[in-house]
Amino acid sequence: MSQAFEFPQGFLWGSATSAYQIEGSPLVDGAGPSIWHRFVRTPGMVHDGDTGDVACDHYRRYKDDVRLMRELGLKAYRFSVAWARILPEGKGRVNPGGLDFYDRLVDTLLENGIEPLLTLYHWDLPAALDDRGGWLNPDIAHWFAEYASVMYRRFDGRVKKWATLNEPWVVTDGGYLHGALAPGHRNRFEAPIATHHLLRAHGAAVQAYRAEGKHAIGLVVNLEPKYAASDSAEDRAAVRRADAYMNRQYLDPVFFGRYPDELEEIFGEAWPQWPAEDFELIRQPIDYVGFNYYTRSVTRHDEQAWPLKAAPVKQHATYTETGWEVFPQGLTDTLVWLRDRYGNPPVYITENGSAFYDPPVADGDTLDDPLRVDYLRKHLRAIHAAICMGCDVRGYMAWSLLDNLEWSLGFSKRFGIVHVDFQTQKRTPKRSARLYSRIVGSNGRAL
Ligand SMILES: N#[N+]C[C@@H]1[C@@H](O)[C@H](O)[C@@H](O)[C@@H]2O[C@H]12
């Protein structure tokens, strides 16, 4: 082992999942349906008709999965709460059965010395709220704050790191602009409205936390650095639009109280004007930025590309099964960008990982996944480089603990450091899990 890649003392090493992707049992113990429970039943929307009805059966197997985290030596676990388990109609009546499940999960984590990091919303909106307009209804900021307050009162203290939303960009781009994710809308007028209400809901939940909570709350965003395909003015303008749309659209309102100027150029007549008081709500100070990193995009101008007029350019590089270039330097570059643009806020890498084809489970207790091992090692070294440049990175959550339901891709893409046989529910650590365990145990020296 080498001191070369030792991380700061107290760096928080963990893994991440989300409720709908792993729990299964979506309607048990009084839970209500989510928009994903509906969406997976829409013919043609999810690979092979896969659903989260069972997934990794984590709702029933959570004790075994926590034991697995402990055996790997993980110090933290980032998970999300299914809103519709807590409030089956999305608002009003609280469901004790839902609270009891997350009580059991959080207490089991704490008993095993694992810190829970709780995300309030990871895409699985209660279907009853979608029936009322969902993220298009301005009242959702109050509904979300009501749900958040129920969770704060029950869990704050045992949970010390909260996140309001996971990847609002994906919620809007996938669910309202391109229609590939629940609730499956394809409408350029709806997308900016959904974005704004997501941000207002975030602000309302942070405001509620300041009144009721005593620890830390942040926002989790996916950031994908954009690099111009050429030095032409057209390509550089395309990068500005793509960067504004994917990277600055959410953090600028939270940190600066305004949207990037490029968004009105992108959405044109579909770009609304919002009242100033909305931005006072949105820009409630947060305690950290959760940053999900997967890849970069080399970007060129493309007049036909709707609505950005920007398109990616394939590189001569390794690509993951989800079609993402392996580009660790993009992680360093984006951490430095966060440091310089937003005043070096505390950052947790709340997701980073890769889907590669995994061979059938080998005999014994480990499956070899060399490409994922390489991805993990290179991206952790990229984070270390950023920390050496003064970036305030405080933790890393490997995506994902388990192979799971990859949304519209179903079970066809495996991101887990632990293999799941979805027929038997057998868990098998991959070689990446064994490496990660050594890295965690040595605080990076095993890198
Ligand atoms: N695709 N992909 C993997 C991963 C997805 O499984 C997570 O739920 C999201 O938060 C984020 O998109 C990243």
Side-chain angles (χ1 to χ4, degrees):
M1 290 188 186
S2 149
Q3 308 288 338
F5 293 107
E6 184 156 11
F7 279 66
Q9 284 310 307
F11 188 83
L12 193 61
W13 298 96
S15 65
T17 65
S18 87
Y20 190 74
Q21 292 180 272
I22 69 164
E23 288 179 357
S25 305
L27 301 179
V28 303
D29 296 336
S34 74
I35 55 175
W36 271 93
H37 185 72
R38 279 184 179 165
F39 193 70
V40 297
R41 284 161 172 75
T42 310
M45 297 315 290
V46 178
H47 173 83
D48 257 358
D50 291 339
T51 78
D53 290 353
V54 177
C56 304
D57 198 23
H58 178 74
Y59 188 86
R60 299 187 317 140
R61 297 169 187 266
Y62 70 93
K63 283 188 185 291
D64 294 339
D65 290 334
V66 173
R67 189 176 305 118
L68 187 55
M69 295 179 217
R70 190 192 63 207
E71 287 166 3
L72 292 172
L74 305 189
K75 312 295 186 193
Y77 175 56
R78 175 182 176 241
F79 65 98
S80 77
V81 168
W83 184 343
R85 291 194 193 279
I86 310 302
L87 294 158
E89 292 79 38
K91 61 197 207 49
R93 179 175 65 89
V94 174
N95 172 37
L99 286 170
D100 291 347
F101 167 65
Y102 292 107
D103 259 341
R104 296 194 297 272
L105 174 61
V106 166
D107 290 343
T108 304
L109 288 164
L110 295 172
E111 287 158 13
N112 284 273
I114 298 167
E115 179 176 357
L117 281 68
L118 191 155
T119 301
L120 289 165
Y121 185 70
H122 198 127
W123 306 359
D124 48 356
L125 186 72
L129 296 185
D130 194 49
D131 293 343
R132 295 168 176 260
W135 292 110
L136 301 176
N137 187 327
D139 291 343
I140 196 159
H142 308 299
W143 303 336
F144 187 59
E146 174 192 349
Y147 155 57
S149 294
V150 170
M151 295 302 293
Y152 301 152
R153 285 194 288 269
R154 182 77 167 236
F155 293 97
D156 194 47
R158 289 181 285 166
V159 172
K160 294 183 168 62
K161 292 181 182 68
W162 296 82
T164 56
L165 305 173
N166 177 76
E167 300 194 349
W169 178 83
V170 176
V171 176
T172 296
D173 184 77
Y176 291 89
L177 188 66
H178 293 292
L181 302 176
H185 299 192
R186 184 179 164 87
N187 185 319
R188 71 186 177 97
F189 286 84
E190 289 186 353
I193 294 169
T195 283
H196 195 68
H197 293 160
L198 279 156
L199 284 168
R200 289 178 56 250
H202 158 79
V206 172
Q207 198 171 57
Y209 190 72
R210 297 307 178 209
E212 301 187 62
K214 297 181 176 57
H215 300 281
I217 192 162
L219 172 68
V220 175
V221 290
N222 55 295
L223 298 173
E224 182 183 286
K226 312 295 180 181
Y227 300 81
S230 79
D231 196 33
S232 71
E234 265 197 342
D235 286 353
R236 283 185 282 112
V239 163
R240 280 197 301 277
R241 289 193 300 274
D243 177 62
Y245 176 61
M246 193 169 195
N247 300 325
R248 289 179 276 129
Q249 182 174 194
Y250 297 90
L251 290 179
D252 276 14
V254 170
F255 280 93
F256 305 147
R258 66 175 185 275
Y259 286 110
D261 295 337
E262 295 89 343
L263 288 168
E264 188 153 11
E265 174 194 345
I266 292 164
F267 284 99
E269 61 178 353
W271 186 254
Q273 298 304 317
W274 302 106
E277 59 265 26
D278 283 2
F279 295 97
E280 290 315 305
L281 176 66
I282 292 168
R283 67 182 306 177
Q284 302 286 319
I286 56 176
D287 300 302
Y288 72 89
V289 171
F291 168 19
N292 294 353
Y293 179 81
Y294 288 92
T295 189
R296 70 154 174 184
S297 171
V298 177
T299 302
R300 67 178 173 83
H301 177 85
D302 179 345
E303 195 60 29
Q304 307 310 314
W306 177 82
L308 287 180
K309 296 186 179 176
V313 177
K314 190 111 180 183
Q315 302 300 298
H316 295 291
T318 301
Y319 279 74
T320 69
E321 286 274 294
T322 47
W324 296 342
E325 181 189 357
V326 177
F327 192 72
Q329 183 60 43
L331 179 46
T332 306
D333 293 349
T334 310
L335 285 167
V336 170
W337 175 77
L338 281 167
R339 179 197 69 187
D340 295 344
R341 184 174 181 82
Y342 300 113
N344 202 16
V347 173
Y348 289 87
I349 305 297
T350 34
E351 289 181 28
N352 174 244
S354 55
F356 288 108
Y357 169 73
D358 286 329
V361 176
D363 295 338
D365 66 354
T366 297
L367 175 153
D368 193 13
D369 57 340
L371 288 168
R372 191 175 292 103
V373 163
D374 184 62
Y375 182 101
L376 175 65
R377 180 174 278 122
K378 285 177 176 171
H379 284 79
L380 288 176
R381 289 182 175 182
I383 295 168
H384 189 271
I387 291 172
C388 293
M389 296 162 78
C391 300
D392 187 2
V393 187
R394 301 195 179 177
Y396 176 89
M397 305 296 137
W399 184 271
S400 178
L401 173 70
L402 302 171
D403 291 335
N404 59 52
L405 183 78
E406 188 40 60
W407 307 109
S408 299
L409 299 174
F411 298 109
S412 67
K413 306 302 177 195
R414 292 177 175 269
F415 276 89
I417 59 174
V418 173
H419 178 275
V420 176
D421 179 327
F422 292 105
Q423 306 309 315
T424 66
Q425 291 298 341
K426 181 174 186 290
R427 275 74 161 140
T428 307
K430 303 175 189 176
R431 187 155 65 89
S432 54
R434 300 300 182 196
L435 170 64
Y436 190 49
S437 181
R438 293 196 304 278
I439 291 167
V440 172
S442 63
N443 197 30
R445 290 192 302 277
L447 267 173

